[in-house]
Amino acid sequence: MSLFVETLYRGYGQAFQQSAQCFSLDTGFQQLSIFDNPILGRVMTLDGVVQTTEKDEFIYHEMLTHVPMLAHPNPKRVLIIGGGDGGILREVLRHPTVEQVILVEIDAAVIEMAKQYFPAHSAGAFEDARTRIVIADGVQYVNESKEMFDVIISDSTDPYGPGEVLFSADFYTAIRARLNAVGIFVAQNGVPFFQLDELKDTVQRFAPLFVDSTFFTAAVPTYIGGVMALAWGATDASLRQTSLTQIQARYAQRGVHTRYYTPQMHLASFALPNYIAQAIAATIA
Ligand code: AG3
């Protein structure tokens, strides 16, 4: 039996039993590996870090998508940075309000491998008439694009390697300029129990850009170490104050069906454990 041991943190990790038919390739941007595990199904890793598994992908993809999409009254234009496996794209397209989604992925190999080995992640989303795929550097794209969006979702790797620039103040500034007057930006921000500095950096970088900035959380088993922080930056503070009744009405009206997300979970996900709340408070103070 061979084991894959994730090497994200020094001195602590998670191990996966790996099927015999596993493979790994250098995409030119990163080392991409795919294997099967008896509990989690198929697993994709990039540079030794678990990105997605068949079994628990729904938790992350639903929360990172439906929280901003349902907080927004009428999201028509959506930008996804990264997200080459198509999971976020699939969830965004569940909203009938959406007219166009642009997905900007730096590494075409991620999309190709995901289409082939994780077909349920995109479930046809790459072929949807509303989808536009751009193979490009996300930073360059937001710097050069003139397009405006209602919701922008950053589905990146951790801030090492190709993903590092997607956590920079310059990137966030360029993102802010691409948001419509009523706009929301969300981003995966790591597991704060182990990656508290990343959260603090984001607190500092979001503060001058968004009138409302905070985090919401989701417990994703294979992003091990407790809850994952999802960063939230909005152009309008009322978006986060949307009532349960309103969110429920939108959820029903748009016909979105989910396995983790519920309107109650939506509101609850903004309640932060005190060690996170205190880290945020200490950073802004
Ligand atoms: N993007 C987020 C992976 C983050 C893993 N990091 C961690 N465990 N700290 C995955 C891509 C899914 N579409």
Side-chain angles (χ1 to χ4, degrees):
M1 175 187 88
S2 84
L3 279 183
F4 163 79
V5 179
E6 188 181 46
T7 51
L8 184 55
Y9 309 118
R10 206 181 312 209
Y12 176 83
Q14 56 178 338
F16 294 74
Q17 186 182 320
Q18 246 178 336
S19 56
Q21 324 75 308
C22 60
F23 69 92
S24 192
L25 66 127
D26 181 348
T27 68
F29 290 100
Q30 47 207 344
Q31 192 69 31
L32 186 162
S33 307
I34 294 175
F35 60 85
D36 288 325
N37 174 273
I39 294 179
L40 294 152
R42 195 155 284 167
V43 180
M44 183 193 284
T45 72
L46 290 173
D47 290 338
V49 179
V50 174
Q51 297 302 311
T52 198
T53 82
E54 279 177 341
K55 185 89 173 181
D56 73 353
E57 58 87 11
F58 69 98
I59 302 175
Y60 173 87
H61 291 131
E62 288 182 9
M63 288 301 280
L64 194 54
T65 304
H66 300 308
V67 171
M69 290 296 285
L70 287 158
H72 197 290
N74 190 19
K76 292 183 179 159
R77 296 184 44 79
V78 179
L79 172 65
I80 301 168
I81 302 288
D85 56 54
I88 297 284
L89 184 63
R90 176 195 71 207
E91 294 302 319
V92 166
L93 289 167
R94 292 193 198 283
H95 294 255
T97 54
V98 170
E99 292 169 0
Q100 186 168 48
V101 196
I102 300 179
L103 183 145
V104 182
E105 168 62 57
I106 195 167
D107 192 342
V110 174
I111 297 183
E112 287 320 309
M113 290 296 115
K115 276 188 182 169
Q116 203 173 333
Y117 293 96
F118 295 83
H121 271 57
S122 50
F126 289 116
E127 283 73 45
D128 193 289
R130 297 168 291 171
T131 299
R132 209 178 107 207
I133 305 297
V134 179
I135 302 300
D137 177 337
V139 177
Q140 201 181 336
Y141 179 84
V142 290
N143 276 322
E144 291 171 6
S145 170
K146 298 275 174 288
E147 310 247 21
M148 300 300 282
F149 300 94
D150 304 306
V151 171
I152 302 179
I153 301 175
S154 171
D155 179 18
S156 71
T157 53
D158 288 88
Y160 327 104
E164 188 172 355
V165 289
L166 302 182
F167 292 81
S168 66
D170 287 348
F171 174 66
Y172 296 146
T173 306
I175 286 278
R176 176 66 188 83
R178 305 266 57 81
L179 278 178
N180 281 325
V182 177
I184 304 168
F185 173 56
V186 293
Q188 85 80 6
N189 212 110
V191 171
F193 186 81
F194 289 123
Q195 300 170 298
L196 201 58
D197 286 342
E198 284 168 28
L199 181 121
K200 292 182 190 168
D201 287 345
T202 301
V203 170
Q204 237 148 14
R205 292 166 192 170
F206 272 32
L209 296 173
F210 300 103
V211 295
D212 185 38
S213 64
T214 187
F215 299 85
F216 57 111
T217 68
V220 185
T222 59
Y223 302 154
I224 199 165
V227 293
M228 169 167 264
L230 305 168
W232 164 281
T235 60
D236 182 333
S238 69
L239 294 165
R240 189 152 58 96
Q241 305 310 325
T242 311
S243 70
L244 180 61
T245 331
Q246 243 173 330
I247 297 171
Q248 279 169 329
R250 286 176 193 165
Y251 182 72
Q253 203 170 26
R254 293 189 202 167
V256 173
H257 297 282
T258 50
R259 286 198 286 151
Y260 185 90
Y261 176 96
T262 65
Q264 287 86 350
M265 284 298 292
H266 177 137
L267 291 179
S269 71
F270 286 96
L272 298 174
N274 212 19
Y275 71 93
I276 299 179
Q278 285 174 338
I280 296 172
T283 308
I284 342 185

